Amino acid sequence: MTINSMTGFARASGSFDGIGWLWEMKSVNGRGLEVRCRIPTGFDHLEDPLRKIVKARFSRGNVNIHLQFENRGSDMAYQVNREFLDELLTLANRYVESWRCGA
């Protein structure tokens, strides 16, 4: 069944493995059907299927679909590879010394 006209709002959210997600869909009346998608980079492959789903259910209106992610991991911390950092600092010091000697 195709819906001819609609004004509405829907939201769904959840999380998995410390990453939260939020889908929102807003629709207002309009003469034709216009679908806008705001999707994070890397999830662009979802846009065409979303448009097809909306076009199968709506015949008119301005429909906005939004997906966003949120990092909910509060215990995430930076880790420093001290051995690698020491090696980089040693190389940097050698470079500075060779530059000074050559100048």
Side-chain angles (χ1 to χ4, degrees), residues 18-19 37-38 42-43 45 50 52 63-64 69 74-75 77 79 89 95 98:
I19 303 293
C37 297
R38 287 188 2 208
F43 292 87
H45 63 280
L50 285 170
K52 287 178 185 175
V63 179
N64 293 294
F69 291 102
S74 60
D75 58 346
Q79 293 183 354
L89 290 171
Y95 175 78
S98 68

Side-chain angles (χ1 to χ4, degrees), residues 26-40:
K26 300 174 187 176
S27 173
V28 295
N29 289 332
R31 290 185 182 209
L33 179 61
E34 184 177 345
V35 181
R36 293 186 189 112
C37 297
R38 287 188 2 208
I39 299 174

Side-chain angles (χ1 to χ4, degrees), residues 8-13 21-27 36-39 50 63-68:
F9 175 81
R11 175 182 285 171
S13 63
W21 51 266
L22 173 69
W23 280 102
E24 286 185 346
M25 182 173 168
K26 300 174 187 176
S27 173
R36 293 186 189 112
C37 297
R38 287 188 2 208
I39 299 174
L50 285 170
V63 179
N64 293 294
I65 300 171
H66 180 207
L67 171 63
Q68 71 182 48

Side-chain angles (χ1 to χ4, degrees), residues 94-103:
R94 285 184 194 161
Y95 175 78
V96 168
E97 288 303 317
S98 68
W99 184 77
R100 284 183 186 162
C101 291

